[in-house]
Every structure is written in structure tokens, then in C-alpha cells.
Amino acid sequence: MRVLLTGGAGFIGKHVHHQLVAEGHEVTVLDSFRPDVHAHKPAPGPGLIVGDIRDADCVAEALRGIDTVIHLAAKVGLGVHLDDIDDYVSTNSLGTAVVLKALAHANIRHLVYASSMVVYGEGRYDCDVHGQVAPGPRRTEDLDAGRFEPPCPYCGSPLHPGLVTEDAVLDPRNTYAATKLNGEHLAATWARETDSRVTALRFHNVYGPGMPRNTPYAGVAAIFRSALERGETPRVFEDGSQRRDFVHVGDVAAAVTTAASALPHQPAFTAYNVGSGTVQTIGDLATELAHLYNGPSPIVTGQYRLGDVRHITASSDRLKANLGWKPAYDLTTGLRTC
């Protein structure tokens, strides 16, 4: 394949680039080198275009000779501050729209879109009385009182968290999540109108070598690791029992390239969860990292961020069954590569 990889200089992008090259594909990277992510902006060179996905002329030039696009470029993070809402919408929604318009004009019909598990909002919950239910947004007064688990919206009983499938109702609960879902909708519309193929990959909590450090983009694994490297105690929010799926960036890169190669045989729009398949808690992650770095044991602070969800873990069975992908790393093995 001749691939345009947007956001190819980022954390995930570098690993996807390496995987594509290892598989023998020709790759062109388009990256803006945002100053809030990258310390330096290199000069353009063979295989590297330094430019913004919102620049239509730049994207059109980048698409020359390309037959498949992997669209990773985005502003990431929680998106809980309204001061950032225009930047999220401009970069993620408008940027994706510009890319899709350019694809249509260039008659390119294959796209892998980097989505996120945040499009689900809270994960799956079951009530003993009412079955599967969707809890409402968590209330500040409950969080302040240390009541972190969302109750059944009908009877107030405790809920049992489970695994989300791709057919679940989508309920983004912060700005970043809203823009990633908007990108899915735009891509699905593009696919229908142009008889194209798009696969949206809903990444779970990605970690691994090259995790961003001390930036607004750092995930919880990177935050804990940075604290330990400074000799500080990892600080775990809420009670540490938040359920997540931590997936190694190498497994994510393999999922991306597998999806890209399978595009000609896929429906117009397909979404796949990309996770390790193993449920961990935030506390588990902090403890594992502290042990790995011979650092102090984590402390549970009871603090919270209103934009966080309590539990979100999903089944990746559809990706395994349809494309033959499977993760190669468990959490302990994966953290040793960081």
C-alpha cells in the first residue's frame, strides 16, 4: 500500500509508521508538530510533510500517489475545559472534514480513522432488577462525598460493570469524546456518499514506549511513570477501583495496519474496539508501575475530575473474529517495555 499517515510523528503514529514500514508499505507522514506536544518542528523531508490537516492545499498535496489513508491526527485529552472547546472542534472535527473532502476529490476510497473508547461515555452496567441500564452523568455532590459508583437510574441500586460491544449506545461525555464521535459520523457519511470504505478503531487506554511525558496529552500510565521517575508517590484519583483496559501501543499499531490491509473487504463503515481484553483498575496500574520502578506505593487521594467516567472496558472480540488480530502483551510484560 501507499499510505498517508496523519499524525504520524505522535506517540501512536510512530509505532504505526514502524509497523507499516516493517510490512513493506510506502508511507508518507503528515504532521503539524503541535507545540503543546512536540518540543521541535523538523524540516520537511522525504516521506515527511510538515503541515496542518486543516490546510486543504497541504492535504491535497500529501495525497498525491496515495491509495490508503490512516488518520491519527487529533487534539487528544479529556477536553473538560470549555476554553479548549474551539481547539478540539477545529482540530478534530474540521480537520477530519478537510481530510475527507480531499479524499473525495482525489478519488481515494480507503480510510482508517482513529477513534476512541471515550465515544461510549460510561461503559456497560447491569442492575439486578432492571437489567442493562445507562447511568446518568455523575453528580458533583456524590463525588464530593466519595460516592463514586453510578447507581441504577431507576431504583438507585448498585450496578455491575461489564464489557461494551461496538453496538452499544454512544454517549460522549466531554469535548474530546464528542469530536471523536463527530469524526466517526463524518467518515461514515463520506463512505456512503463516495462508495468508500472506512474502519473506525476505538482505542482503549494506550501505553508503551514513547508515552508522552508531562504534557496535557499524557495518559494515566505516563503520569504515574513520570511521578515515579521523579521519586514521587503516584497519586490515584477516586478510590482507585475505576476499571479500564490498558492496551500496548505495539498491539494498537498491529490493529491499525491489519485494518488498513483489510479495507477493500470491509463494509462501508465498520467500528472495532481495540483493547487488551483484560480488565484492570487504575489502582492496579499504579501498583504495577510502582513495583516495576521500585518506587513508593501509590496513595489513593479521593480526588476526581468531573469529565472522567467511572468504568469503561470493552470487548475486542469483533476485531479478533473478523480480522484475526489479537494482542501480544499483557500489562506486566507491556509495562516492562516502557
Side-chain angles (χ1 to χ4, degrees), residues 83-307:
D83 284 348
D84 292 335
I85 191 170
D86 52 346
D87 193 8
Y88 277 102
V89 172
S90 176
T91 303
N92 299 353
S93 296
L94 176 61
T96 297
V98 171
V99 169
L100 293 171
K101 180 178 177 180
L103 288 173
H105 288 175
N107 200 34
I108 295 171
R109 298 291 180 254
H110 296 149
L111 172 70
V112 174
Y113 171 73
S115 189
S116 170
M117 53 83 182
V118 296
V119 300
Y120 295 114
E122 289 283 354
R124 173 176 175 149
Y125 291 87
D126 290 280
C127 172
D128 288 335
V129 177
H130 295 97
Q132 186 174 341
V133 298
R138 296 195 292 170
R139 303 183 306 168
T140 301
E141 54 265 39
D142 289 334
L143 298 172
D144 287 339
R147 296 188 295 268
F148 301 119
E149 296 288 349
C152 175
Y154 303 108
C155 66
S157 298
L159 297 175
H160 308 291
L163 300 180
V164 176
T165 64
E166 291 87 351
D167 299 323
V169 174
L170 305 180
D171 183 23
R173 297 195 175 189
N174 57 54
T175 301
Y176 170 62
T179 60
K180 294 311 290 184
L181 180 55
N182 183 226
E184 286 196 21
H185 289 162
L186 291 170
T189 299
W190 164 79
R192 286 193 299 269
E193 294 184 357
T194 60
D195 190 27
S196 298
R197 299 292 179 267
V198 57
T199 295
L201 297 178
R202 294 170 181 166
F203 301 150
H204 279 252
N205 298 82
V206 185
Y207 72 96
M211 288 187 298
R213 299 169 181 262
N214 305 316
T215 77
Y217 294 80
V220 65
I223 292 170
F224 290 158
R225 183 195 60 183
S226 294
L228 289 162
E229 289 176 341
R230 296 191 300 267
E232 300 173 2
T233 301
R235 298 173 60 84
V236 179
F237 279 18
E238 300 187 21
D239 60 1
S241 297
Q242 308 95 301
R243 291 159 56 101
R244 297 291 188 270
D245 185 327
F246 299 99
V247 59
H248 192 273
V249 68
D251 289 331
V252 169
V256 171
T257 61
T258 298
S261 296
L263 276 167
H265 313 293
Q266 293 294 291
F269 178 86
T270 310
Y272 291 112
N273 293 327
V274 183
S276 71
T278 303
V279 175
Q280 305 281 353
T281 69
I282 299 292
D284 291 338
L285 174 69
T287 299
E288 190 74 35
L289 278 167
H291 176 74
L292 185 64
Y293 281 83
N294 295 313
S297 298
I299 60 171
V300 176
T301 69
Q303 295 172 274
Y304 65 87
R305 293 178 297 196
L306 198 57

Side-chain angles (χ1 to χ4, degrees), residues 12 15 25 32 37 51 56 66 95 104 114 259 271 274 302 320 335:
I12 296 175
H15 289 269
H25 304 297
S32 67
V37 181
I66 297 296
V274 183
K320 296 174 184 177
L335 287 175

Side-chain angles (χ1 to χ4, degrees), residues 26-68:
E26 298 178 34
V27 185
T28 298
V29 169
L30 171 60
D31 201 296
S32 67
F33 291 87
R34 291 178 62 108
D36 52 354
V37 181
H38 299 274
H40 306 286
K41 179 181 287 190
L48 174 62
I49 298 172
V50 179
D52 197 302
I53 55 171
R54 292 167 291 189
D55 182 337
D57 291 337
C58 178
V59 175
E61 179 63 28
L63 289 174
R64 294 185 184 277
I66 297 296
D67 52 52
T68 301

